[in-house]
Amino acid sequence: MRTFTCPHCANLLFFENSACVVCGTDVGYDRATRSMVQTAGRARCANAELAGCNWIATAEPLCGCCALTRTRPADEDVEALEAFRAAETAKRRLLYQLDDLGLPVTPRTTDPAHGLAFDLLSSTDRPVTTGHASGVITIDLAEGDDGFREGLRARLAEPYRTLLGHFRHEIGHWYWDLLIAGTPDAFRTLFGDERADYRQALEDHYGSAPGSEWADTHVSHYAAAHPWEDWAETFAHLLHIRDTVQTAAALGVLVAGTPIAPHPGSRVDAVPEDHTDDVDDLIATWIPLSRALNQLNRSMGKDDLYPFTLSPVVQDKLRFADATVAAARAR
């Protein structure tokens, strides 16, 4: 995420700000210019109150991000609407990054068979499964409740679980359909054959102890369940890494570590770039940066910000994912 400033007084703004906290100017995010603008004379998204949306609407009452949501909780479901607000906040950050990466975001209204749409559903009175099906991404809004999400994370022995992570993972499935399904040979060489029985693979995954053998070849235990999940997890991690490195670059965050005597070849410094086309440089920056961020988190009594290890095989998968994104951007 790049930094934004108030168009009136140049104060630093968060991406979620709808007003400058210094001068009080009403501001909104303009997707067309990827900048914060004064809202005077412009139409705010109709979800400004309901979902806390600070985006500018163009031809429609809803902004381009909110318009992607096909189903939301009913107005009287107050508890679910709070979680819906959190989900839309994460979705706006996702869409900003997809635009920044130059990835296609085709709405389902444009492509009814394969376009993108979101069903953000409450599981209060019915079961909801977070997942993806032919462009429709379903999110269980219970994931917006910190207690529920943390309890589920602990029960599944996951080191990391966030709403934004869900969005990045599930949209990775859509991009597999869009960018890889037609020519899967190179994918299968790295990730395995996706034609393996998916339902059986998940049953086997959840029916066995986590172990540790997956760590040499997969970014997470869940990634080892099936090649489709391996891709979605790898894609999500590429987005995690690119977003955090870009944010560090925008804020001028540098890591200037002292080389460790027994391992003089190991990188302990990082100079993040806004957007590098060299994925090897991205990974080389990310490893010392994430270690530094983990150390800072521990100093605050928090868990590691990035509790993952990028093995050589995982790094190859990240290179494949990045090359796939670059090819889509070039097209």
Side-chain angles (χ1 to χ4, degrees):
M1 180 65 67
R2 296 183 173 89
T3 53
F4 298 93
T5 55
C6 173
H8 179 69
C9 75
N11 174 58
L12 186 67
L13 298 175
F14 286 102
F15 180 61
E16 293 78 13
N17 281 144
S18 56
C20 176
V21 297
V22 173
C23 70
T25 299
D26 288 332
V27 297
Y29 177 69
D30 179 34
R31 188 182 180 190
T33 61
R34 300 185 197 175
S35 63
M36 285 291 186
V37 298
Q38 295 190 44
T39 57
R42 301 172 185 264
R44 278 196 181 275
C45 176
N47 272 356
E49 293 297 327
L50 184 69
C53 182
N54 66 334
W55 284 30
I56 300 299
T58 52
E60 304 295 333
L62 295 175
C63 70
C65 184
C66 287
L68 291 171
T69 297
R70 189 176 68 169
T71 313
R72 67 164 178 86
D75 289 345
E76 60 270 16
D77 193 343
V78 178
E79 185 176 339
L81 284 177
E82 283 298 313
F84 167 70
R85 187 183 183 99
E88 286 290 350
T89 298
K91 181 158 71 73
R92 287 192 291 275
R93 187 168 283 264
L94 169 73
L95 195 61
Y96 170 88
Q97 187 178 26
L98 299 179
D99 287 345
D100 189 57
L101 290 172
L103 284 169
V105 185
T106 308
R108 206 159 186 85
T109 50
T110 302
D111 182 355
H114 306 290
L116 186 62
F118 294 85
D119 288 342
L120 307 181
L121 307 177
S122 170
S123 57
T124 302
D125 54 6
R126 58 171 174 163
V128 174
T129 301
T130 295
H132 164 266
S134 302
V136 177
I137 292 174
T138 300
I139 299 292
D140 178 4
L141 288 176
E143 294 284 351
D145 178 83
D146 293 341
F148 173 89
R149 190 177 61 254
E150 178 60 20
L152 194 55
R153 184 200 67 77
R155 183 164 62 83
L156 296 175
E158 296 175 345
Y160 173 91
R161 191 179 185 94
T162 68
L163 262 176
L164 182 55
H166 281 311
F167 277 107
R168 285 172 170 165
H169 174 100
E170 298 305 337
I171 206 164
H173 285 298
W174 185 58
Y175 284 120
W176 192 93
D177 290 346
L178 209 63
L179 307 176
I180 300 174
T183 54
D185 290 347
F187 167 85
R188 290 172 183 164
T189 300
L190 270 178
F191 292 84
D193 194 337
E194 81 288 351
R195 292 170 294 187
D197 189 296
Y198 180 72
R199 186 181 298 275
Q200 186 61 52
L202 289 189
E203 288 181 5
D204 293 343
H205 171 77
Y206 286 116
S208 60
S212 60
E213 64 281 355
W214 57 267
D216 290 336
T217 52
H218 298 81
V219 74
S220 69
H221 178 231
Y222 188 54
H226 187 276
W228 278 335
E229 298 304 339
D230 193 7
W231 160 261
E233 284 285 270
T234 302
F235 181 84
H237 276 258
L238 178 65
L239 266 55
H240 293 333
I241 292 168
R242 280 207 170 275
D243 193 9
T244 310
V245 168
Q246 186 181 68
T247 304
L251 294 172
V253 175
L254 307 176
V255 178
T258 302
I260 304 169
H263 307 285
S266 298
R267 283 279 298 272
V268 291
D269 63 307
V271 183
E273 294 183 23
D274 175 81
H275 186 94
T276 176
D277 292 328
D278 187 338
V279 69
D280 289 325
D281 184 61
L282 177 72
I283 293 171
T285 299
W286 176 243
I287 291 174
L289 177 62
S290 62
R291 286 174 179 164
L293 294 172
N294 287 346
Q295 294 278 24
L296 291 170
N297 258 32
R298 292 185 189 191
S299 294
M300 288 292 293
K302 302 284 286 183
D303 293 334
D304 286 351
L305 181 73
Y306 189 75
F308 302 94
T309 300
L310 303 179
S311 71
V313 175
V314 170
Q315 291 184 36
D316 284 341
K317 291 176 179 178
L318 285 168
R319 291 183 184 96
F320 177 88
D322 195 73
T324 302
V325 170
R329 181 169 60 248
R331 289 195 297 270

Short mmCIF file of all heavy atoms in Angstrom, two decimals, residues 98-104 179 275 277 321-331:
data_model
loop_
_atom_site.label_atom_id
_atom_site.label_comp_id
_atom_site.label_asym_id
_atom_site.label_seq_id
_atom_site.Cartn_x
_atom_site.Cartn_y
_atom_site.Cartn_z
N LEU A 98 -5.08 -5.37 -6.35
CA LEU A 98 -5.28 -6.01 -7.65
C LEU A 98 -5.16 -4.97 -8.77
O LEU A 98 -4.55 -5.24 -9.82
CB LEU A 98 -6.65 -6.68 -7.70
CG LEU A 98 -6.90 -7.80 -6.69
CD1 LEU A 98 -8.31 -8.36 -6.85
CD2 LEU A 98 -5.86 -8.91 -6.82
N ASP A 99 -5.71 -3.79 -8.55
CA ASP A 99 -5.56 -2.71 -9.52
C ASP A 99 -4.09 -2.32 -9.68
O ASP A 99 -3.60 -2.11 -10.79
CB ASP A 99 -6.36 -1.47 -9.08
CG ASP A 99 -7.85 -1.63 -9.23
OD1 ASP A 99 -8.29 -2.57 -9.93
OD2 ASP A 99 -8.59 -0.81 -8.65
N ASP A 100 -3.39 -2.24 -8.55
CA ASP A 100 -1.99 -1.84 -8.57
C ASP A 100 -1.13 -2.85 -9.32
O ASP A 100 -0.17 -2.50 -10.00
CB ASP A 100 -1.49 -1.66 -7.14
CG ASP A 100 -0.10 -1.04 -7.08
OD1 ASP A 100 0.08 0.06 -7.63
OD2 ASP A 100 0.80 -1.67 -6.52
N LEU A 101 -1.49 -4.13 -9.19
CA LEU A 101 -0.74 -5.19 -9.87
C LEU A 101 -1.14 -5.34 -11.34
O LEU A 101 -0.49 -6.08 -12.08
CB LEU A 101 -0.95 -6.53 -9.15
CG LEU A 101 -0.30 -6.66 -7.77
CD1 LEU A 101 -0.75 -7.95 -7.09
CD2 LEU A 101 1.22 -6.61 -7.87
N GLY A 102 -2.19 -4.65 -11.73
CA GLY A 102 -2.64 -4.74 -13.13
C GLY A 102 -3.38 -6.02 -13.44
O GLY A 102 -3.45 -6.44 -14.60
N LEU A 103 -3.97 -6.65 -12.43
CA LEU A 103 -4.73 -7.88 -12.64
C LEU A 103 -6.17 -7.56 -13.06
O LEU A 103 -6.74 -6.56 -12.60
CB LEU A 103 -4.74 -8.72 -11.37
CG LEU A 103 -3.44 -9.47 -11.07
CD1 LEU A 103 -3.48 -10.05 -9.65
CD2 LEU A 103 -3.20 -10.57 -12.08
N PRO A 104 -6.76 -8.39 -13.90
CA PRO A 104 -8.15 -8.14 -14.32
C PRO A 104 -9.11 -8.32 -13.16
O PRO A 104 -8.94 -9.21 -12.31
CB PRO A 104 -8.38 -9.20 -15.41
CG PRO A 104 -7.41 -10.30 -15.09
CD PRO A 104 -6.20 -9.62 -14.52
N LEU A 179 -6.25 -17.62 -15.32
CA LEU A 179 -4.91 -17.45 -15.87
C LEU A 179 -4.13 -18.75 -16.08
O LEU A 179 -3.14 -18.75 -16.81
CB LEU A 179 -4.08 -16.55 -14.94
CG LEU A 179 -4.70 -15.19 -14.59
CD1 LEU A 179 -3.81 -14.46 -13.59
CD2 LEU A 179 -4.92 -14.35 -15.85
N HIS A 275 7.73 -1.05 -6.09
CA HIS A 275 7.24 -2.15 -6.93
C HIS A 275 8.41 -2.66 -7.76
O HIS A 275 8.84 -2.02 -8.71
CB HIS A 275 6.11 -1.70 -7.84
CG HIS A 275 5.48 -2.84 -8.61
ND1 HIS A 275 4.36 -3.51 -8.16
CD2 HIS A 275 5.84 -3.46 -9.76
CE1 HIS A 275 4.06 -4.47 -9.02
NE2 HIS A 275 4.94 -4.45 -10.00
N ASP A 277 10.03 -5.56 -10.28
CA ASP A 277 9.69 -6.63 -11.20
C ASP A 277 10.59 -7.85 -11.00
O ASP A 277 10.37 -8.89 -11.61
CB ASP A 277 9.82 -6.15 -12.66
CG ASP A 277 8.75 -5.12 -13.00
OD1 ASP A 277 7.65 -5.21 -12.44
OD2 ASP A 277 9.02 -4.22 -13.82
N ALA A 321 4.05 -17.84 -9.39
CA ALA A 321 2.88 -16.99 -9.18
C ALA A 321 3.15 -15.57 -9.65
O ALA A 321 2.29 -14.94 -10.30
CB ALA A 321 2.48 -17.00 -7.70
N ASP A 322 4.33 -15.05 -9.36
CA ASP A 322 4.66 -13.70 -9.76
C ASP A 322 4.76 -13.59 -11.28
O ASP A 322 4.32 -12.59 -11.86
CB ASP A 322 5.98 -13.26 -9.12
CG ASP A 322 6.21 -11.76 -9.20
OD1 ASP A 322 5.51 -11.03 -8.47
OD2 ASP A 322 7.04 -11.33 -10.01
N ALA A 323 5.32 -14.60 -11.92
CA ALA A 323 5.40 -14.60 -13.39
C ALA A 323 4.01 -14.66 -14.01
O ALA A 323 3.74 -14.03 -15.05
CB ALA A 323 6.24 -15.78 -13.86
N THR A 324 3.10 -15.39 -13.37
CA THR A 324 1.72 -15.46 -13.84
C THR A 324 1.05 -14.10 -13.76
O THR A 324 0.35 -13.66 -14.68
CB THR A 324 0.93 -16.49 -13.03
OG1 THR A 324 1.56 -17.78 -13.13
CG2 THR A 324 -0.51 -16.60 -13.52
N VAL A 325 1.26 -13.39 -12.66
CA VAL A 325 0.71 -12.04 -12.49
C VAL A 325 1.32 -11.10 -13.52
O VAL A 325 0.60 -10.30 -14.15
CB VAL A 325 0.99 -11.52 -11.07
CG1 VAL A 325 0.65 -10.04 -10.95
CG2 VAL A 325 0.21 -12.33 -10.04
N ALA A 326 2.64 -11.18 -13.74
CA ALA A 326 3.30 -10.30 -14.71
C ALA A 326 2.78 -10.55 -16.12
O ALA A 326 2.59 -9.59 -16.89
CB ALA A 326 4.81 -10.53 -14.65
N ALA A 327 2.55 -11.80 -16.47
CA ALA A 327 2.03 -12.11 -17.81
C ALA A 327 0.62 -11.57 -17.99
O ALA A 327 0.27 -11.05 -19.06
CB ALA A 327 2.04 -13.64 -18.02
N ALA A 328 -0.20 -11.65 -16.94
CA ALA A 328 -1.55 -11.12 -17.02
C ALA A 328 -1.52 -9.60 -17.16
O ALA A 328 -2.30 -9.01 -17.93
CB ALA A 328 -2.33 -11.51 -15.77
N ARG A 329 -0.61 -8.96 -16.45
CA ARG A 329 -0.46 -7.51 -16.53
C ARG A 329 -0.02 -7.10 -17.94
O ARG A 329 -0.52 -6.11 -18.50
CB ARG A 329 0.54 -7.02 -15.49
CG ARG A 329 0.74 -5.52 -15.47
CD ARG A 329 1.53 -5.06 -14.26
NE ARG A 329 2.85 -5.65 -14.19
CZ ARG A 329 3.24 -6.52 -13.28
NH1 ARG A 329 2.39 -6.95 -12.36
NH2 ARG A 329 4.47 -7.00 -13.27
N ALA A 330 0.88 -7.86 -18.53
CA ALA A 330 1.38 -7.54 -19.87
C ALA A 330 0.27 -7.66 -20.91
O ALA A 330 0.23 -6.90 -21.88
CB ALA A 330 2.53 -8.47 -20.22
N ARG A 331 -0.66 -8.60 -20.69
CA ARG A 331 -1.76 -8.78 -21.64
C ARG A 331 -2.79 -7.67 -21.52
O ARG A 331 -3.54 -7.43 -22.43
CB ARG A 331 -2.42 -10.13 -21.43
CG ARG A 331 -1.57 -11.33 -21.89
CD ARG A 331 -2.42 -12.58 -22.00
NE ARG A 331 -2.96 -12.98 -20.72
CZ ARG A 331 -2.36 -13.81 -19.88
NH1 ARG A 331 -1.17 -14.29 -20.16
NH2 ARG A 331 -2.93 -14.16 -18.75
#
